[in-house]
Amino acid sequence: QAKAAGRRTWMRYDDSMETAIRRRATLAGALHKALDRGELRVVYQPRQSLASSRITGAEALLRWSSPEHGEIPPADFIPLAEENGMILEIGEWVLREACLAQRRWREHGLSDLTVSVNMSVLQLLRGDFAEVVRRVLDDTGVPPQALELELTESVLMANATQTAQKLQAFRELGVSLAIDDFGTGYSSLAYLKRLPITTLKIDQTFIADLCHDREGASITTTVIAMAHGLGLVVVAEGVENEAQARFLAQHRCDEIQGYWVSQPIDAMSCMAFIHNRQLAAGQRAGAVGAP
Ligand code: C2E
Ligand code: MG
Ligand code: MG
Ligand code: MG
């Protein structure tokens, strides 16, 4: 009898594995058609300066609404797209969408914003990615200074020597480079110093801990000081409340991103949001400066 029970347990395990594998295969198949069917879209999450309260730019985040499978988070489908190489096509599409949004913002007078695009390691390691970026910038008429590419820390560390060289090509193009999810990998100071990066984004897990435990707070203040020592702009991710924002302002973090500023929203809403915020910030500045 024990044997039978053991067998059933094994079969259940086997079934659930098979279900997971089948789901991945189904999703991967659906993803193949998603781009052509217009199921993918890009949303934008604004980023705010703590010193001036101005919106400095926005991060492009990919969304997939599948008629068959519903809303699928990027954490579920980006790895699939990386496995089958589709991330190259999808990534270029996101880049183009983000640059088109940036052009529209600029046409409406929002000229000093940066649009940030997440980049997969597969894109970075492909030979001609700098060429792809240059072409998209050319096609859309967006200046390189208005674009920032984000790479996760773990990706940079896993391919240390190769990436350092690759990144140089982007800096020569004039685009900014951010290291994303910082604190989750194992970057050494010496290594960070060698990378031609401009921005460091502190991972949201540290920000979540900021006001509850001393470790979260001290990691954050240490990272801010270190980044400033290296001449980098520091952005805190996942800022959800005023207490976190105030702590970060007190410790001279440069910018914040998170639900406290805004959820990720579509390109038109983002433009309206930024427009309203800049007007408000301008009025506040005017009020302070008035006699
Ligand atoms: P990420 O680049 O670190 O993006 C930040 C994530 O935090 C986003 O999740 C965003 O929606 C979420 N977030 C923003 N504010 C808050 C907050 O206040 N609290 C909390 N708890 N979360 C917040 P999302 O959109 O689900 O994206 C997850 C990850 O998927 C991204 O992390 C990025 O690594 C990847 N990703 C998204 N779009 C793309 C893309 O176009 N290309 C590539 N290669 N990766 C992408
Ligand atoms: Mg990012
Ligand atoms: Mg991040
Ligand atoms: Mg992340």
Side-chain angles (χ1 to χ4, degrees), residues 118 152 180-181 203-204 237:
N118 292 287
T152 60
D180 202 355
D181 301 348
D203 190 69
Q204 53 192 41
E237 299 194 271

Short mmCIF file of all heavy atoms in Angstrom, two decimals, residues 118 152 180-181 203-204 237, ligand 4:
data_model
loop_
_atom_site.label_atom_id
_atom_site.label_comp_id
_atom_site.label_asym_id
_atom_site.label_seq_id
_atom_site.Cartn_x
_atom_site.Cartn_y
_atom_site.Cartn_z
N ASN A 118 14.65 48.68 -20.99
CA ASN A 118 15.34 47.50 -20.45
C ASN A 118 15.92 46.67 -21.58
O ASN A 118 15.28 46.44 -22.60
CB ASN A 118 14.37 46.64 -19.65
CG ASN A 118 13.93 47.33 -18.37
OD1 ASN A 118 14.69 47.45 -17.43
ND2 ASN A 118 12.69 47.81 -18.37
N THR A 152 20.48 44.65 -16.10
CA THR A 152 20.50 44.22 -14.70
C THR A 152 21.92 43.88 -14.26
O THR A 152 22.77 43.48 -15.06
CB THR A 152 19.61 42.99 -14.46
OG1 THR A 152 20.09 41.93 -15.27
CG2 THR A 152 18.17 43.28 -14.81
N ASP A 180 20.63 48.14 -13.47
CA ASP A 180 19.30 47.92 -12.90
C ASP A 180 19.37 46.91 -11.77
O ASP A 180 20.29 46.08 -11.72
CB ASP A 180 18.38 47.39 -14.02
CG ASP A 180 16.91 47.63 -13.75
OD1 ASP A 180 16.56 48.12 -12.66
OD2 ASP A 180 16.10 47.32 -14.65
N ASP A 181 18.38 46.96 -10.86
CA ASP A 181 18.27 45.99 -9.75
C ASP A 181 19.57 45.91 -8.96
O ASP A 181 19.97 44.81 -8.54
CB ASP A 181 17.91 44.58 -10.29
CG ASP A 181 16.61 44.58 -11.05
OD1 ASP A 181 15.88 45.58 -10.99
OD2 ASP A 181 16.32 43.57 -11.73
N ASP A 203 17.80 48.34 -6.18
CA ASP A 203 16.71 47.37 -6.30
C ASP A 203 15.61 47.63 -5.27
O ASP A 203 15.86 48.03 -4.15
CB ASP A 203 17.23 45.95 -6.13
CG ASP A 203 16.18 44.92 -6.50
OD1 ASP A 203 15.87 44.83 -7.70
OD2 ASP A 203 15.64 44.26 -5.59
N GLN A 204 14.38 47.35 -5.70
CA GLN A 204 13.23 47.69 -4.86
C GLN A 204 13.15 46.89 -3.57
O GLN A 204 12.52 47.34 -2.63
CB GLN A 204 11.93 47.56 -5.65
CG GLN A 204 11.72 46.24 -6.35
CD GLN A 204 10.55 46.33 -7.35
OE1 GLN A 204 10.38 47.30 -8.06
NE2 GLN A 204 9.73 45.31 -7.35
N GLU A 237 14.26 52.43 -6.85
CA GLU A 237 13.11 51.80 -7.50
C GLU A 237 12.10 51.33 -6.46
O GLU A 237 12.46 51.01 -5.34
CB GLU A 237 13.56 50.52 -8.23
CG GLU A 237 14.55 50.67 -9.31
CD GLU A 237 14.61 49.38 -10.13
OE1 GLU A 237 15.40 48.49 -9.77
OE2 GLU A 237 13.85 49.28 -11.10
MG MG B 4 13.56 43.93 -11.86
#
